[in-house]
Each structure stands twice: as C-alpha cells, then as structure tokens.
Amino acid sequence: MKAPVICIDGPNASGKGAISRALAEHLGWHRLDSGVLYRALGLAASRRSLSPADSGVLAALAAELDVDLHGERILLDGEDVTRELGTEEAGTEASRVAVLAPVRAALLERQRGFRRPPGLVADGRDMGTVVFPDAKWKVFLTASPEVRAARRYNQLRHQGMDVSLAGLFEAIRERDERDRLRDTAPLRPANGALQLDTTHLGVSEVLACVIEHVRTTGRSMRPEVSGEQGGDGHRQRTCGDT
Ligand code: DC
C-alpha cells in the first residue's frame, strides 16, 4: 500500500504552484514542486559551466545534487538560492537540462521518495505520466499564453524583479515548446487526467474544482494500491462538471 498522490501537471505559469501549495495545505499532505529539482540542477550546471552536451556529467550531478527543500526555502550545497531559482532564466536553464533522459532517470527515485503518508501533492510536467503513473488523481492545468505571461510578469514584478512582458512571453513560448517536444517525458496530459483551462479562473475557483474532483473521484483518501489509472483519453472539464 502506497500513500495517495495527486498530480498537478501543466505548462509554465498555468497555476500549478499556487494550486498544489493550497491543496497540500488544505489536505495536510506533503508537497513536491518537482521543477525546483530541475531548476537547482540547472543552476548547479551553469555554475560549473556545464552544457546539455555534458549529459553524463549532468546525470552524475543530478544523482548527487545537494538540494534541500525547507518549506519555501531552497538550499543548494547549503546556500539559500530561493531567489535565484525563481527567475525566468533559472526556468530556462532547468528546461535545457530537463530534455536529457539520463538526468530525468537520475531524479526519478528522489521524486518518488517524497511519497509519504498521509499523502502527496506533486506538481510538474510528468508527475502523472512518468513519476507517479499509478496516482489516483491527475490534473492538467492550462491557460492562454497571454494570461500565463501576464501572471508570471506580475509574480516576478511583485518579487522586485525587473522583467518585460514581451520578453517573458517569448521565454515562456520557447520553454513550453522545448518541454512539449522533447523525447523523454514530454509535457502532456496523462490518460484520464482532469484538464482545466484556468484562463478565466482565480486560484480559489480552481482549487474548489480540484477539491471537488478529488472528493468525487476518490470517495476516500485511503492509501492506494499500485496500478496505472485507467482511461483512454483526456477529460476536458469545467468547474462543477463532475
Ligand atoms: O515548473 P518549473 O517552471 O519550475 O519548471 C522548470 C523547468 O523544469 C520546466 O520548464 C521543465 C523542467 N521540469 C521538467 O522537465 N519536469 C518536471 N516534472 C518539472 C520541471
């Protein structure tokens, strides 16, 4: 019997972070922000002047990566790199190393290690398809590119970062494309995932929708047994449509 998992996947700035954070808090479950691992690896790689061509060295680095998640604080080799990892540049570096199959393989068990009672809310790109294929709940969030760029812009400006909306729009477009088109664990909805377009929804509306989905799909939140969630397609739903 394994602890239950709720997977929240989707492209950059689709709302995954805010929703998974709020959901984990609501349920009293653990949370895995898998993007942080790729961002930390991207930073460690650029500090060592490694490029994606150094795939073997990067995989070894990923396996030994000294990254510590303390709530919202992230320590890399003991140094607080939270702010550095929050930039769009860190996201781009992460996306570049994330195309490499040996890197992804090296991070797989570390991610699965976050699955502990009473349960885990995991967000990323391949939580439902690769890391936790047996999860009972899989959600895929989307939003229009314009709205996602605007959300990211507001978030970074709020943190005091000097960014341009046009620059972010382009960076997000490029990153989405790289994440979607890579051979290993590309960004895509898992079979049977609940797909939600959050373009016109606020965090509380999306959260309510996901909680309703968990309640109506799961009936109970007991630990689940292994087995890929069935489903031969994707369910595109709107809130309230269960
Ligand atoms: O979620 P994020 O923006 O922090 O992720 C940064 C990059 O890391 C993303 O563009 C691609 C990569 N990533 C990934 O490939 N798989 C994940 N599960 C999470 C992130």
Side-chain angles (χ1 to χ4, degrees):
M1 295 284 254
K2 293 177 178 173
V5 182
I6 302 173
C7 299
I8 314 272
D9 287 306
N12 188 13
S14 54
K16 304 182 304 291
I19 295 303
S20 59
R21 196 176 299 115
L23 186 60
E25 199 167 301
H26 174 83
L27 296 170
W29 287 11
H30 302 282
R31 175 181 176 229
L32 166 63
D33 172 358
S34 59
V36 162
L37 298 176
Y38 289 94
R39 283 173 184 256
L41 179 64
L43 179 60
S46 74
R47 285 181 172 180
R48 290 165 177 78
S49 304
L50 295 170
S51 79
D54 306 306
S55 136
V57 185
L58 281 168
L61 186 60
E64 292 165 7
L65 198 66
D66 179 9
V67 57
D68 244 324
L69 311 180
H70 284 278
E72 296 298 307
R73 301 253 133 243
I74 307 144
L75 303 184
L76 177 63
D77 297 323
E79 176 194 341
D80 188 334
V81 290
T82 315
R83 191 173 165 82
E84 218 169 335
L85 290 192
T87 62
E88 193 48 39
E89 290 72 26
T92 299
E93 289 300 326
S95 170
R96 287 196 180 124
V97 294
V99 301
L100 303 168
V103 160
R104 304 198 72 86
L107 290 177
L108 201 53
E109 287 314 313
R110 187 190 290 241
Q111 293 174 86
R112 289 181 177 154
F114 283 81
R115 186 176 196 166
R116 292 190 301 269
L120 176 70
V121 180
D123 80 72
R125 304 293 186 289
D126 60 342
M127 298 296 99
T129 52
V130 175
V131 182
F132 303 109
D134 62 328
K136 187 176 280 173
W137 298 282
K138 299 178 183 182
V139 177
F140 193 85
L141 301 181
T142 56
S144 74
E146 291 78 11
V147 163
R148 291 191 287 120
R151 282 179 188 164
R152 192 86 181 110
Y153 176 79
N154 290 333
Q155 185 190 3
L156 294 178
R157 292 296 288 225
H158 185 71
Q159 290 168 12
M161 295 188 200
D162 184 20
V163 285
S164 87
L165 185 57
L168 272 179
F169 185 86
E170 187 48 27
I172 286 176
R173 194 196 60 72
E174 264 181 36
R175 186 140 73 91
D176 280 353
E177 194 170 271
R178 193 183 302 109
D179 293 347
R180 256 189 314 108
L181 298 181
R182 68 187 176 214
D183 291 334
T184 310
L187 168 68
R188 64 170 177 80
N191 278 346
L194 167 72
Q195 289 194 59
L196 286 176
D197 183 340
T198 70
T199 303
H200 303 294
L201 300 175
V203 172
S204 56
E205 289 167 301
V206 179
L207 182 63
C209 191
V210 174
I211 289 173
E212 186 185 351
H213 171 66
V214 167
R215 199 173 46 76
T216 54
T217 314
R219 282 176 287 278
S220 83
M221 290 189 198
R222 279 170 298 149
E224 60 206 50
V225 288
S226 301
E228 173 116 23
Q229 174 165 324
D232 49 7
H234 313 312
R235 286 173 287 163
Q236 180 80 47
R237 287 197 192 158
T238 55
C239 285
D241 169 24
T242 52

